[in-house]
Amino acid sequence: MGKKLWSVALGGMLAVSLLAGCGAKEEAPAAGTQAQTQGQKESAEPAGGTGAGQETQAPGESNGDYYVSVIMKSFTGDFWKTVQLGAEQAGKDLGVKVVVDGCDTETEYEQQIQLVESAIMKGANAIALSTLDSEALVPICEEADSKGIKIITFNSTINSDVPICHVATDNYAAGELAGKTLGEALGGSGKYAVLGSAEGVKNNRDRSDGAVAYIEKNYPDMELIQTQYMDNDMNKAISIINDWITSNPDIKGIYTNNETGTIAAATVLSERGKVGEITHIGFDATEQTCAQIKDGITSSIVTQIPYKMGYDAVAKAVDALNGKEVEPLIDTGVALVTKDNLDSEEIQKIINPLN
């Protein structure tokens, strides 16, 4: 698909242009009341971390006794909490049982395999999965598919043709938007570095690669120090950024491609007195990362729309169970958050979908 960017800017009047929606038939509704969350009712204990196995079912459109298992990377961070809210609201609206699980950390792919196994055992009709490892999850997903379970992926997918549909941001385009924003902020010159989260996950690599490719093409006078990955570990992220600043005192820009890295960068810049000296472009707008924009630590944040991602993943699973044709790729969009548009209605709907 084309690398089209959705940016949101405020200049007397807010202009919004959406990334291609790939013909999605369901759209996440304006956020309303949060779906009721009950304790896990099954006798088997879930394999996920804190908060795992949260079940939602409420009256809505009649879809029989469908059970959709939603397996996130983890429950850590506001991004995944918002994905969960979207998935639960879809369960309420569509009248299906939704059980949301997640791992203890975003490196526990073996635990995620166990969560898929558990969903199979408990009789899930569909599994919506955000994979922690594009290869390691293939065998268990193929097993689920062989049992007639519909597989939907969201945020990140597997290297297999088993998934009926992938619901996600165009991460390469999101990376391009980050690269464009950093290049403009630095005036097209200066040293910069890129911090990714998970090198083994394609969607995360795409966010890094898109930024670097855009800068190389459009800002040839900018110099890349390094692209490095920190396994979604806050302490590791802080260490890497500190090393960059120590080894490259003339560094002018840092791009971090997920929430953990974005918080880590703000921590380092504040502690080392580099706010205003090093331009920081982050990823994933949450209450904490947006506070960094307000405080002038982070210049801009490229963000996904996690509520819509969770909602559409469940909605497409239900479509597939009902025998409807489902588009293979649903692009949930991306936005650019700045100090100028942070308080706008459009951006606030992304950050606080239930307010």
Side-chain angles (χ1 to χ4, degrees):
M1 80 185 274
K3 303 293 185 288
K4 292 183 281 184
L5 306 178
W6 177 28
S7 62
V8 185
L10 190 68
M13 180 174 186
L14 195 69
V16 180
S17 65
L18 295 175
L19 267 164
C22 300
K25 295 177 183 176
E26 284 91 354
E27 296 296 331
T33 305
Q34 182 176 358
Q36 180 180 358
T37 302
Q38 305 170 354
Q40 178 71 319
K41 294 182 179 179
E42 288 82 353
S43 58
E45 289 297 322
T50 303
Q54 295 182 351
E55 176 181 326
T56 296
Q57 187 172 20
E61 179 182 336
S62 176
N63 282 293
D65 296 321
Y66 291 151
Y67 159 25
V68 179
S69 171
V70 178
I71 301 174
M72 308 187 300
K73 292 180 179 179
S74 77
F75 284 98
T76 303
D78 290 342
F79 176 84
W80 293 112
K81 293 171 186 174
T82 307
V83 170
Q84 179 181 359
L85 291 176
E88 290 175 343
Q89 187 65 47
K92 179 179 180 180
D93 292 346
L94 300 174
V96 298
K97 172 183 173 181
V98 171
V99 177
V100 181
D101 281 301
C103 299
D104 294 326
T105 70
E106 292 193 27
T107 59
E108 302 289 338
Y109 71 86
E110 292 181 348
Q111 185 182 24
Q112 194 172 54
I113 292 171
Q114 293 171 9
L115 288 172
V116 178
E117 290 174 340
S118 178
I120 295 170
M121 179 186 70
K122 294 174 184 176
N125 303 107
I127 296 173
L129 171 70
S130 180
T131 182
L132 285 173
D133 190 297
S134 301
E135 290 291 345
L137 272 292
V138 170
I140 190 63
C141 287
E142 290 181 344
E143 178 183 337
D145 177 69
S146 72
K147 297 178 183 296
I149 299 172
K150 306 296 184 183
I151 303 295
I152 305 290
T153 55
F154 64 96
N155 181 257
S156 57
T157 191
I158 58 175
N159 296 331
S160 169
D161 59 2
V162 162
I164 297 169
C165 173
H166 183 50
V167 179
T169 301
D170 182 337
N171 284 284
Y172 194 91
E176 288 181 317
L177 177 56
K180 179 177 185 291
T181 304
L182 182 60
E184 289 175 347
L186 296 185
S189 64
K191 292 182 178 180
Y192 74 102
V194 176
L195 183 65
S197 174
E199 191 170 11
V201 179
K202 184 179 183 299
N203 77 310
N204 197 264
R205 292 197 309 274
D206 283 348
R207 295 178 197 171
S208 301
D209 294 346
V212 172
Y214 189 93
I215 289 172
E216 287 179 346
K217 179 179 179 181
N218 296 280
Y219 301 107
D221 292 334
M222 289 179 63
E223 179 184 343
L224 175 64
I225 295 170
Q226 186 182 40
T227 297
Q228 196 163 341
Y229 292 84
M230 46 75 174
D231 301 320
N232 204 50
D233 184 310
M234 180 70 71
N235 291 330
K236 187 174 179 181
I238 288 172
S239 177
I240 291 169
I241 297 168
N242 268 314
D243 287 347
W244 283 339
I245 294 174
T246 300
S247 303
N248 303 274
D250 55 346
I251 185 173
K252 296 299 182 184
I254 294 173
Y255 162 50
T256 54
N257 81 3
N258 83 331
E259 180 185 2
T260 300
T262 298
I263 294 169
T267 300
V268 174
L269 294 180
S270 297
E271 289 179 349
R272 298 193 58 163
K274 296 295 183 179
V275 175
E277 183 179 334
I278 297 175
T279 298
H280 174 223
I281 307 299
F283 204 98
D284 284 335
T286 65
E287 288 190 18
Q288 184 169 357
T289 60
C290 286
Q292 298 169 195
I293 292 179
K294 284 185 176 181
D295 293 340
I297 304 169
T298 298
S299 174
S300 305
I301 291 174
V302 177
T303 192
Q304 304 175 88
I305 307 177
Y307 185 90
K308 178 175 172 56
M309 192 177 294
Y311 192 100
D312 285 357
V314 172
K316 293 304 171 184
V318 173
D319 271 357
L321 290 170
N322 284 329
K324 296 181 181 178
E325 183 178 353
V326 178
E327 300 84 356
L329 178 63
I330 306 298
D331 186 347
T332 52
V334 65
L336 181 66
V337 184
T338 68
K339 199 167 188 176
D340 288 338
N341 70 13
L342 179 58
D343 294 326
S344 69
E345 181 179 356
E346 286 79 0
I347 295 301
Q348 285 301 311
K349 282 182 179 179
I350 296 171
I351 302 168
N352 300 299
L354 298 183
N355 289 349

